[in-house]
Amino acid sequence: MKTFPMGGVHPSENKLSSAKPIEVLPLPEVVNIPLAQHIGAPAVAKVAKGDKVLTGQLIAEAGSFMSANIHAPISGTVTAVDMVANGQGLRQMMITIKREGDEWAEGIDRSETLVKECSLSAQEIIAKIKEAGIVGMGGATFPTHVKLSIPAGKKAECVIINGVECEPYLTSDHRTMLEHGEELVVGVTILMKAVGVDKAYIGIENNKPDAIAHLSKIAAQYKGIEVVPLKVRYPQGGEKQLIAAVTGRQVPPPPALPIDVGAVVCNASTTFAVYQAVQKGMPLIQRVVTITGKNLKEPKNLLTRMGTPVSALIAAAGGLPENAGKVINGGPMMGRAMVNLDSPVTKGCSGITVMSEQDARRREASQCIKCAKCVSACPMGLEPYFLSKMTQKKNWDELEARMITSCIECGCCQSTCPAYLPLLDWVRLGKQTVMGRIRARAAAAPKK
Amino acid sequence: MANKLIVAPAPHVQTAQSTARIMRDVVIALMPALVVSTIVFGVDVLRVTAISVAACVLFEFLIQKFLVRGSLTISNWSAVVTGVLLAFNLPASIPWWIVVIGAFVAIAIAKMTFGGLGKNPFNPALVGRVFLLIAYPVQMTDWPLPVNGAFDALSGATPLAAVKHGIAGPDALGVQNLLIGNMPGSLGEVATLALLLGFVYLLWRRVITWHIPVTILATMALFAFLVALCSGESGEMLWQLPLFHVLAGGAILGSVFMATDYSTSPMTVRGGVIFAVGIGVVTMLIRLWGAYPEGMSFAILMMNACVPLINKYVKPKRFGVVK
Amino acid sequence: MEVLLYTILTLCVLGVLAAVILYFVAQKFRVEEDPRIDEVEKMLPGANCGGCGFAGCRGMADALVKRDDISELFCPVGGGDCMKAIAAYLGKAAAEKQPEVATVRCGGTCEKRPRTNEYNGAKSCAVAASLYAGETGCAFGCLGLGDCVAACAFDAIHMNPETGLPEVDPDKCTACGACVKACPKMVIELRKKWPKNRAVYVSCVSKDKGAVVMKACKAGCIGCGKCEKVCAFGAITVENNLAYIDPQKCKLCRKCVNECPTGAIKLVGMDPLPKEPKAPAAPKAAPAAEKVAPAAPKAAPAAEKAVEKAAEKAAPAAEKAAPKTAPAATKEPSHES
């Protein structure tokens, strides 16, 4: 069974909601839509307080090429365009819409009928994806149209669909693959056409045998699409790890990109969104969000409109349990802990994980015993113990030499440390600082 | 909701392993050997082990309490591991006060002066043993005979010493006696089979990986084989000599429990292999041509000294970097 | 006897040989350096704090000797006297700088700014700041994890466990600026040092709207602008809902202190002005009562409510737009106060 070449861990999978069909969450009364839900420049608001909007209507336009459009997820009145606290308590620009009914903008096909044929050119497909505001829905939120626009001089050789979902607890991609398999595979053909390749792989970890069987059956009807079962190992869903697992090629260290080894990776949910955007004219205004946790009454997969407060999802799953200690936007390996439960679901939010206080509290850190478990767990072949120490000593040059910028922040090192050291807390800080220094150097270079 | 939400950067899961659990696992892995040793040498084994463990824990406690004011770490079992390993390196008949001195050297000098667990460059138990070997050579090489081993073929010398001084050939004892520990020697080194059981346990609990122990033993076997070949041996001796060197003395104890000590071994697998080859070669050099019959402890300490250098030059293979 | 003789002889020959080799090597690889650099380095305080912008005192000494114009260079630790002495030695014009002191501009004590969540990550302000807004409802104030304390080479800044805020010892502070650089929230500022450590400054850096500030912290600046109006020297400006007192223009007249409805303007080393009987906009605000210097009891709750109402009126829209922070947030204040 294929997998990535080095490091990795196998945390308890805890896929509590994998057998729960996708439910539709009732429409929220008020939504807050952040203008920055993606990597790159924030979108620019096209509506003002008092404006009436329809579901699916463009309300904010991409601020630059590296940005994404945003559409109204519900119909109603814009009540504010103002600073609102996000999940981390930081204030950012958001459009607030109060719901009035559910009236959709024109040109969106909401029927279930499968549309297989796509006669658009690559350019037109990418334009449609850009128009629909699609970004990577696995959590990285990289604008998809940017990813599909292959830079001059580079050549794509294959499309890889990321159906790995290696993050514990989360099942939104799994359910999407099961319930929208037909559409997803059509989405794959569209992506292949967009980047001009005739080979696509769908990577799925073998803890989802139903999804592997289902998609293999569908993919058999198409040419050039292959489902690749993968050994269960975190962080297989990391872009570089997935490429290595499927094709055996390793993406060189930054600033190299996956396209340098000829791969274009797209998340399973994103692929479904691409199908909807191109074949149905549906912008990215809703997504499947897993609401999960060992102490929740009913872990679920909910089809949720963007901007819905997280508290509404928790309520739908039976409310916050008495012993809740941590609410995470995402899964327990890479998700961000939240302080503000009224903050909205965004394009990159694949799940909400609720942990009990006992599970959530870190155990007390002791001294490093040099066990080297972090070194063998690192999927990028780095030395986390050393990077963490050098960050605390602010030895930025040494950090750069030891390739801290290659860190993908997967958390394997910290989760495997028997001394419970906050390795990644420090490494992340060191990486940010070193990247800042590299940028500053690049900015200063042309002057000389 | 009654509690305030807890906030921390990802990841939000921690391993079930802990420093204390790892150390406890090492102690558990040493238990079969302790049992076998008690059967071989009698209750004296338990006496020496108890004194050694108690002294190690006590010295660590006193130093942390009164000298290096800081958090107490005796609850992490690392002093217990040092205590048991030190005892395993001593003869069962050793006087109690020598054990206490050894424990003091191990904990106070080899471990705490460098900052405690994880910072010591040399294996504390081995520093203790080597100190005692040089300071009290008579008591340290006075090996009691197995209580129920009804033979005196080696006249009270360890198999290694016997072979070295030409008292007996490497095949005198037989593989069976070497495996079950029916021979004179220090507490821990006699129980080869029990030590291997501990090795399997440590592998199963993911405390250590197989690379260092297997490389050391393979290096030693290969070295012995080449020596046998070069000295014109043939037939049985070609495999008897390697087997003898792997099974006799502290080879198994040293390679499984001492060379794999976290803080005194390299951080990468490749580094670990270099380290292990070094130990194997140095051990065989001392055994065959050095002044002492056994060279395991010296070899490990010498290679311990090379670990910072190995860590500096042997880095893990980076993802995506092609050389 | 012979052995001894040979040994001594051999050692002597070896010694002489080594000395000769060393002598030639030293000649060959000698680095020519201006001897004044050593002298200037000796005159510098030798703290190697980096407050001058160089990695250490040696780098500073090197620059002082090599540059013609040294008016840009200043050692905050040695101060004006040290710079004058060095300038006199080098025959150059010294930089003149007034004495400064690090000032912590956050009054959000545990009591006034209740915790709404619990931080459980690495104990570092920089790590916490890159993760989220902080343990309280205020996204601007001190995080209380002590990066400034770790950065200080002079033992001049310490956390006060009762308030959860750092406190500067003005006598030890050399204004090297290490804490200013270390603070990810930019709470610490180097301000003009008055005699007897007197100071008047706005102890808040929150740019949130008044209503948001009020909700998170009882000692925050709500940007009401009363201080700006009362200042006779034009020293106070309100920008982004935050008042700032220019230390160069402020004359320590203390009028603004009595005007501030939340007590965000802090007064150090002086008694407040006597309370004016006249009642302007917020009559019951009784701000001086809650000042730091005199240990007066808490202001009447009625006064606080009046202030809150005033603030709510000032920014009604902001109040609505403001999100509810974590559910605990609304309950906590009543528990703790």
Side-chain angles (χ1 to χ4, degrees):
Chain A
M1 187 102 23
K2 285 182 171 177
T3 189
F4 55 96
M6 58 179 83
V9 293
H10 188 180
S12 316
E13 290 164 30
N14 284 317
K15 303 274 191 187
L16 308 171
S17 50
S18 58
K20 302 277 178 67
I22 298 168
E23 285 176 40
V24 179
L25 184 73
L27 295 185
E29 289 311 307
V30 178
V31 292
N32 283 309
I33 327 282
L35 293 180
Q37 303 188 31
H38 45 260
I39 290 179
V44 181
K46 288 282 149 196
V47 290
K49 191 181 164 185
D51 288 359
K52 297 270 180 202
V53 294
L54 297 173
T55 309
Q57 179 187 330
L58 185 74
I59 53 172
E61 208 167 38
S64 70
F65 177 63
M66 184 69 162
S67 184
N69 289 343
I70 294 170
H71 301 79
I74 54 172
S75 59
T77 312
V78 175
T79 56
V81 181
D82 203 351
M83 302 295 264
V84 179
N86 68 5
Q88 278 67 45
L90 298 165
R91 265 158 252 285
Q92 61 179 113
M93 235 9 175
M94 296 195 198
I95 299 173
T96 309
I97 304 172
K98 196 167 179 303
R99 187 171 73 88
E100 286 149 17
D102 187 25
E103 286 172 48
W104 286 65
E106 276 177 31
I108 301 174
D109 175 7
R110 294 158 64 198
S111 69
E112 295 278 311
T113 30
L114 184 71
V115 186
K116 280 191 182 177
E117 301 310 317
C118 175
S119 54
L120 300 174
S121 72
Q123 236 67 59
E124 287 165 334
I125 291 172
I126 294 173
K128 277 221 164 193
I129 289 170
K130 180 169 193 237
E131 156 54 33
I134 295 176
V135 302
M137 288 160 78
T141 64
F142 192 90
T144 303
H145 66 269
V146 180
K147 198 177 245 180
L148 298 180
S149 308
I150 310 295
K154 305 272 164 69
K155 195 179 176 318
E157 288 164 36
C158 65
V159 167
I160 300 176
I161 305 303
N162 186 346
V164 171
E165 205 158 47
C166 58
E167 181 79 62
Y169 287 96
L170 303 188
T171 57
S172 56
D173 284 350
H174 185 189
R175 292 311 307 182
T176 305
M177 288 188 286
L178 280 182
E179 295 178 37
H180 300 288
E182 298 271 0
E183 294 98 316
L184 199 150
V185 176
V186 176
V188 178
T189 61
I190 295 169
L191 287 173
M192 287 159 74
K193 199 167 176 189
V195 296
V197 298
D198 48 16
K199 187 71 204 165
Y201 303 95
I202 305 177
I204 306 175
E205 283 192 344
N206 71 338
N207 59 354
K208 295 179 266 290
D210 46 355
I212 295 173
H214 184 60
L215 288 188
S216 301
K217 212 171 76 190
I218 300 167
Q221 304 160 17
Y222 296 83
K223 212 171 143 251
I225 302 179
E226 183 188 332
V227 175
V228 185
L230 300 166
K231 192 179 152 194
V232 182
R233 197 142 151 252
Y234 177 89
Q236 194 129 243
E239 200 169 46
K240 292 174 182 176
Q241 275 64 36
L242 181 62
I243 296 170
V246 171
T247 68
R249 291 186 205 168
Q250 294 183 11
V251 180
L257 293 169
I259 191 66
D260 289 311
V261 293
V264 175
V265 182
C266 208
N267 166 272
S269 293
T270 317
T271 312
F272 175 56
V274 164
Y275 163 81
Q276 294 225 301
V278 176
Q279 303 294 70
K280 302 274 192 170
M282 169 84 84
L284 184 54
I285 57 164
Q286 57 187 3
R287 65 161 299 147
V288 181
V289 180
T290 305
I291 167 82
T292 179
K294 279 183 203 160
N295 297 296
L296 274 186
K297 276 204 194 78
E298 277 183 274
K300 280 181 177 174
N301 300 293
L302 293 166
L303 183 64
T304 311
R305 298 280 173 96
M306 302 297 172
T308 307
V310 167
S311 50
L313 281 92
I314 297 175
L320 207 57
E322 198 45 30
N323 62 354
K326 202 184 252 180
V327 179
I328 304 163
N329 182 345
M333 290 304 285
M334 285 191 82
R336 301 191 81 177
M338 303 177 67
V339 290
N340 175 14
L341 301 186
D342 290 330
S343 64
V345 165
T346 56
K347 291 176 182 176
C349 173
S350 46
I352 302 291
T353 312
V354 179
M355 291 176 95
S356 71
E357 200 194 339
Q358 202 196 341
D359 289 346
R361 197 177 296 278
R362 289 185 181 179
R363 279 161 281 176
E364 204 186 329
S366 54
Q367 70 270 49
C368 174
I369 56 170
K370 307 269 168 65
C371 66
K373 287 183 193 296
C374 56
V375 179
S376 39
C378 181
M380 300 305 291
L382 306 178
E383 298 141 292
Y385 79 101
F386 186 82
L387 300 179
S388 158
K389 198 166 84 182
M390 285 300 124
T391 302
Q392 290 174 66
K393 290 187 174 175
K394 303 194 193 315
N395 192 343
W396 312 123
D397 294 331
E398 184 70 37
L399 287 172
E400 199 177 331
R402 300 275 187 130
M403 300 177 66
I404 195 170
T405 51
S406 288
C407 173
I408 58 168
E409 303 181 22
C410 63
C412 287
C413 51
Q414 190 168 329
S415 71
T416 199
C417 178
Y420 310 135
L421 292 170
L423 294 169
L424 182 57
D425 293 12
W426 292 112
V427 175
R428 199 183 278 120
L429 179 67
K431 180 184 161 189
Q432 282 164 7
T433 312
V434 169
M435 303 243 288
R437 283 164 59 93
I438 293 173
R439 274 196 300 272
R441 221 163 42 211
K447 282 178 204 157
K448 277 175 193 172
Chain B
M1 190 185 65
N3 313 315
K4 290 174 193 168
L5 285 177
I6 298 170
V7 183
H12 306 285
V13 284
Q14 288 178 314
T15 172
Q17 255 181 346
S18 70
T19 305
R21 201 183 98 170
I22 288 172
M23 296 298 165
R24 212 158 48 226
D25 276 340
V26 176
V27 174
I28 292 171
L30 286 165
M31 282 306 117
L34 186 69
V35 172
V36 172
S37 190
T38 311
I39 294 168
V40 173
F41 294 120
V43 198
D44 258 356
V45 167
L46 298 179
R47 176 189 65 100
V48 172
T49 311
I51 293 170
S52 174
V53 169
C56 282
V57 175
L58 186 71
F59 282 130
E60 183 156 326
F61 173 76
L62 291 176
I63 288 168
Q64 281 181 330
K65 186 92 181 168
F66 298 108
L67 282 178
V68 287
R69 287 159 298 140
S71 55
L72 284 174
T73 57
I74 48 168
S75 60
N76 69 18
W77 285 68
S78 63
V80 179
V81 171
T82 306
V84 177
L85 285 177
L86 176 67
F88 271 31
N89 275 297
L90 304 174
S93 57
I94 196 108
W96 68 269
W97 54 273
I98 293 185
V99 181
V100 174
I101 289 172
F104 178 79
V105 172
I107 295 293
I109 293 174
K111 186 174 175 191
M112 299 313 289
T113 42
F114 294 99
L117 180 63
K119 301 204 177 94
N120 50 306
F122 297 103
N123 188 319
L126 283 180
V127 173
R129 173 200 144 94
V130 168
F131 176 85
L132 294 181
L133 190 64
I134 293 165
Y136 305 99
V138 178
Q139 290 93 329
M140 282 296 285
T141 50
D142 177 21
W143 311 108
L145 287 175
V147 284
N148 49 3
F151 68 92
D152 56 358
L154 309 174
S155 349
T158 60
L160 279 173
V163 171
K164 179 148 199 150
H165 300 130
I167 300 169
D171 51 347
L173 264 178
V175 173
Q176 196 192 346
N177 277 328
L178 284 173
L179 276 178
I180 60 167
N182 202 353
M183 58 186 174
S186 71
L187 297 192
E189 67 187 33
V190 297
T192 305
L193 217 52
L195 288 170
L196 287 175
L197 193 68
F199 180 36
V200 173
Y201 177 76
L202 290 184
L203 287 180
W204 174 61
R205 296 286 279 180
R206 288 166 193 271
V207 173
I208 58 170
T209 56
W210 57 267
H211 303 88
I212 291 178
V214 171
T215 312
I216 292 178
L217 297 176
T219 309
M220 288 173 69
L222 186 70
F223 199 104
F225 175 77
L226 290 178
V227 167
L229 207 63
C230 291
S231 54
E233 303 279 359
S234 61
E236 278 219 330
M237 278 308 282
L238 277 183
W239 61 266
Q240 280 281 4
L241 193 69
L243 196 64
F244 171 75
H245 275 292
V246 166
L247 294 179
I252 306 272
L253 179 68
S255 57
V256 174
F257 292 94
M258 317 263 226
T260 54
D261 175 28
Y262 286 150
S263 53
T264 60
S265 61
M267 298 296 280
T268 56
V269 170
R270 281 194 292 169
V273 169
I274 296 172
F275 170 79
V277 168
I279 290 176
V281 170
V282 175
T283 305
M284 290 309 293
L285 288 177
I286 294 176
R287 278 188 182 187
L288 294 174
W289 298 294
Y292 286 90
E294 171 60 306
M296 199 71 196
S297 17
F298 294 106
I300 294 176
L301 288 177
M302 279 169 70
M303 289 313 290
N304 282 167
C306 302
V307 166
L309 205 64
I310 296 176
N311 278 341
K312 191 172 163 67
Y313 289 107
V314 183
K315 289 172 189 158
K317 192 182 171 329
R318 315 281 195 205
F319 184 94
V321 177
V322 189
K323 272 182 189 163
Chain C
M1 200 58 210
E2 226 170 62
V3 174
L4 203 64
L5 198 70
Y6 280 129
T7 315
I8 291 169
L9 267 177
T10 318
L11 279 177
C12 284
V13 171
L14 272 177
V16 170
L17 215 66
V20 170
I21 294 170
L22 274 177
Y23 173 78
F24 282 109
V25 170
Q27 285 294 313
K28 177 125 178 94
F29 292 102
R30 192 167 61 179
V31 180
E32 287 294 340
E33 208 171 39
D34 193 330
R36 291 182 301 168
I37 296 176
D38 283 327
E39 284 306 309
V40 172
E41 194 186 355
K42 273 182 212 153
M43 294 164 93
L44 287 167
N48 290 318
C49 64
C52 52
F54 295 94
C57 294
R58 181 86 191 172
M60 174 72 161
D62 191 62
L64 281 167
V65 171
K66 284 184 183 155
R67 289 191 199 170
D68 292 330
D69 177 20
I70 59 165
S71 57
E72 300 270 297
L73 302 171
F74 189 80
C75 170
V77 180
D81 293 341
C82 167
M83 292 310 293
K84 257 183 221 155
I86 293 172
Y89 172 76
L90 294 171
K92 296 174 184 174
E96 295 238 358
K97 254 191 197 165
Q98 60 181 11
E100 288 185 324
V101 65
T103 310
V104 179
R105 291 181 299 160
C106 179
T109 58
C110 299
E111 188 191 329
K112 303 218 166 176
R113 189 174 57 140
R115 300 282 183 268
T116 56
N117 63 74
E118 185 193 330
Y119 179 67
N120 192 218
K123 200 170 160 356
S124 149
C125 304
V127 171
S130 67
L131 174 70
Y132 79 130
E135 281 188 307
T136 68
C138 173
F140 292 89
C142 174
L143 294 166
L145 295 162
D147 277 12
C148 49
V149 178
C152 184
F154 304 97
D155 193 35
I157 189 162
H158 294 280
M159 294 305 291
N160 181 335
E162 262 170 47
T163 58
L165 295 172
E167 283 171 9
V168 177
D169 181 343
D171 298 327
K172 284 186 183 167
C173 176
T174 62
C176 70
C179 53
V180 177
K181 279 181 217 151
C183 180
K185 292 285 185 186
M186 290 181 279
V187 166
I188 307 177
E189 184 195 8
L190 291 180
R191 289 177 71 88
K192 180 180 174 184
K193 189 176 183 179
W194 289 88
K196 293 183 189 163
N197 297 327
R198 288 172 176 156
V200 174
Y201 59 95
V202 179
S203 188
C204 181
V205 291
S206 170
K207 289 174 183 157
D208 273 334
K209 286 181 182 143
V212 179
V213 174
M214 294 291 292
K215 210 169 215 168
C217 178
K218 292 202 198 83
C221 172
I222 54 172
C224 66
K226 281 184 186 166
C227 50
E228 188 178 21
K229 280 184 205 117
V230 83
C231 183
F233 308 101
I236 306 183
T237 45
V238 178
E239 232 177 88
N240 293 326
N241 310 306
L242 177 64
Y244 177 74
I245 303 179
D246 186 339
Q248 305 310 328
K249 291 183 185 162
C250 175
K251 308 275 189 235
L252 297 189
C253 78
R254 291 166 285 164
K255 268 189 200 155
C256 54
V257 180
N258 286 3
E259 282 301 315
C260 181
T262 60
I265 301 184
K266 208 166 170 181
L267 181 65
V268 181
M270 286 179 286
D271 289 331
L273 288 178
K275 226 188 293 173
E276 282 176 53
K278 195 179 65 164
K284 284 173 227 140
E290 257 208 304
K291 281 292 86 60
V292 206
K298 275 189 204 161
E304 271 183 29
K305 265 187 193 149
V307 175
E308 252 173 61
K309 261 183 199 155
E312 267 169 33
K313 267 178 208 156
E319 166 72 0
K320 269 181 202 144
K324 286 167 219 141
T325 26
T330 41
K331 285 178 199 163
E332 283 307 318
S334 56
H335 281 302
E336 299 210 355
S337 57

